[in-house]
């Protein structure tokens, strides 16, 4: 018997404003058909004026706690994946901690861009397995609408805002792949590719900056690296593609999602897809897809899931867990 980090609650929050592809036709040389065909995106949510990452993260965290039936005062740690925190510091996670009324525990942000949620899950898992925390809120939350260059059609049509959260709790398992909880993780980065996807602002420029991306270059790395990290995580978990009930990929582009599933030899009816409704919400996309997948009745208790993501850095990784 040993410890496992088991998902006992999940929830999400999407801002009220929905923007359809057609809206970009008014200001940019683009159209709904191109955006759908090249990315699979049909619409996305944008935060309201003044609505922040920490507010959306708090709403998602509250939904996950309610789903689990756990009070915030019983949470030991918050790990929040974001590249769009409200301020340079303090962390958005500490803002969520205060909003939830927590007076104990610890909270910090993880910044690995679109791979952020996979990194956060892996960190939370390590906190639980090492006995440093029993209950950890793992959140992905982003307001990428704040870092869009609205004149750059190659990026601004692709991203959206939102938040998703999981509550992980320490439970004992048999140390087999039949256990519920996180079974294996795999993290990677390669900073030589940092110029393919970055924000041209920050402390060194004194500006917030805008997202810049060589989309087709990132695309070239994506399928191969995602299939490879998912395969590594599955091997570490002692499972094969045939055992997998659901692939829950980072939702950047339907063609990347389809290409990766094909490489993993998994049919699309075992892939949770939300990119059409959310666009690319960076670190929020996987917890949003997990929460929506459960609400749709796709993901059920006991299902074996592989999640995978890649983004700026480049940073990429995968987690295998039993729901
Ligand atoms: O989540 C973090 C990781 N990010 C990703 O995974 C994103 C990866 N990349 C992608 O999803 C795709 O590369 C894009 C959706 C960004 C672009 O698709 P693509 O098939 O790679 O197109 P492309 O960048 O090679 O551009 C093809 C053409 C270009 O025109 P020319 O140079 O061939 O004349 C672009 O200027 O499409 C043009 N284009 C557009 N046309 C209409 C670029 N954006 C648009 C647009 N509307 N919004």
């Amino acid at each position: 018997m040993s410890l496992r980090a088991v998902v006992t609650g999940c929830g999400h929050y999407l801002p009220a404003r929905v923007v359809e592809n057609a809206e970009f036709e008014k200001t940019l040389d683009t159209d709904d058909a191109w955006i759908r065909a090249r990315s699979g995106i049909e619409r996305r949510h944008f935060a309201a004026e003044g609505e922040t990452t920490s507010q959306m993260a708090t709403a998602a965290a509250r939904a996950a706690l309610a789903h689990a039936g756990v009070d915030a005062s019983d949470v030991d740690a918050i790990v929040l994946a974001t590249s769009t925190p409200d301020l340079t510091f303090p962390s958005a996670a500490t803002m969520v901690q205060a909003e939830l009324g927590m007076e104990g525990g610890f909270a910090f942000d993880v910044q690995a861009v679109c791979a952020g949620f996979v990194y956060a899950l892996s960190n939370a898992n390590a906190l639980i397995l090492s006995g440093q925390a029993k209950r950890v809120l793992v959140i992905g939350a982003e307001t990428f609408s704040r870092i869009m260059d609205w004149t750059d059609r190659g990026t601004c049509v692709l991203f959206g805002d939102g938040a998703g959260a999981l509550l992980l709790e320490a439970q004992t398992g048999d140390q087999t792949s039949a256990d519920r909880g996180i079974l294996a993780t795999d993290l990677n980065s390669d900073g030589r590719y940092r110029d393919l996807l970055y924000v041209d602002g920050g402390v060194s420029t004194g500006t917030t900056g805008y997202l810049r991306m060589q989309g087709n270059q990132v695309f070239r790395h994506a399928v191969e690296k995602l299939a490879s990290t998912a395969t590594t995580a599955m091997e570490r978990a002692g499972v094969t593609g045939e055992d997998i009930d659901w692939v829950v990929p980072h939702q950047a582009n339907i063609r990347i999602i389809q290409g990766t599933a094909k490489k993993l030899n998994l049919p699309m009816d075992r892939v949770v897809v939300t990119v059409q409704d959310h666009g690319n919400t960076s670190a929020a996309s996987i917890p949003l897809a997990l929460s929506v997948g459960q609400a749709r009745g796709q993901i059920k208790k006991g299902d074996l899931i592989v999640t995978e993501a890649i983004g700026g850095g480049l940073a990429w990784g995968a987690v295998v867990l039993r729901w």
Side-chain angles (χ1 to χ4, degrees), residues 1-2 49 68 76 143 172 175 246 265 276 318:
M1 300 281 265
S2 58
E49 206 182 319
D76 301 314
T143 42
T172 50
Q175 215 52 33
W246 294 105
N265 215 6
Q276 69 281 5

Side-chain angles (χ1 to χ4, degrees), residues 71 82 152 196 255:
D71 196 87
T82 189
D152 178 10
L196 298 186
R255 293 184 294 139

Side-chain angles (χ1 to χ4, degrees), residues 26-56:
K26 297 176 194 160
T27 52
L28 288 170
D29 180 15
T30 189
D31 54 63
D32 175 48
W34 189 95
I35 301 169
R36 273 176 202 247
R38 305 312 294 168
S39 72
I41 298 165
E42 297 172 23
R43 61 193 64 80
R44 74 288 290 141
H45 294 247
F46 284 148
E49 206 182 319
E51 190 170 32
T52 65
T53 292
S54 71
Q55 289 168 356
M56 296 196 299

Side-chain angles (χ1 to χ4, degrees), residues 151-228:
T151 65
D152 178 10
R153 67 177 184 173
T155 54
C156 73
V157 303
L158 301 174
F159 293 88
D161 301 335
L166 300 184
L167 182 69
L168 292 182
E169 296 195 51
Q171 293 185 5
T172 50
D174 296 327
Q175 215 52 33
T176 71
S177 61
D179 288 350
R180 287 186 66 215
I182 293 177
L183 301 179
T185 69
D186 180 56
L187 303 182
N188 313 267
S189 66
D190 190 338
R192 290 175 300 170
Y193 298 116
R194 63 188 180 276
D195 293 339
L196 298 186
L197 176 49
Y198 65 99
V199 171
D200 62 3
V203 174
S204 62
T205 63
T207 60
T208 307
Y210 297 111
L211 181 145
R212 305 295 176 201
M213 177 168 73
Q214 294 178 44
N216 49 12
Q217 299 292 323
V218 177
F219 194 106
R220 221 162 277 167
H221 286 278
V223 171
E224 192 199 322
K225 287 182 165 55
L226 290 171
S228 160

Side-chain angles (χ1 to χ4, degrees), residues 77 79 106 108 122-134 136:
V79 185
F106 59 95
F108 61 95
S122 181
N123 274 278
N125 184 48
L127 289 173
I128 286 177
L129 297 192
S130 61
Q132 294 178 79
K134 283 197 172 67
V136 184

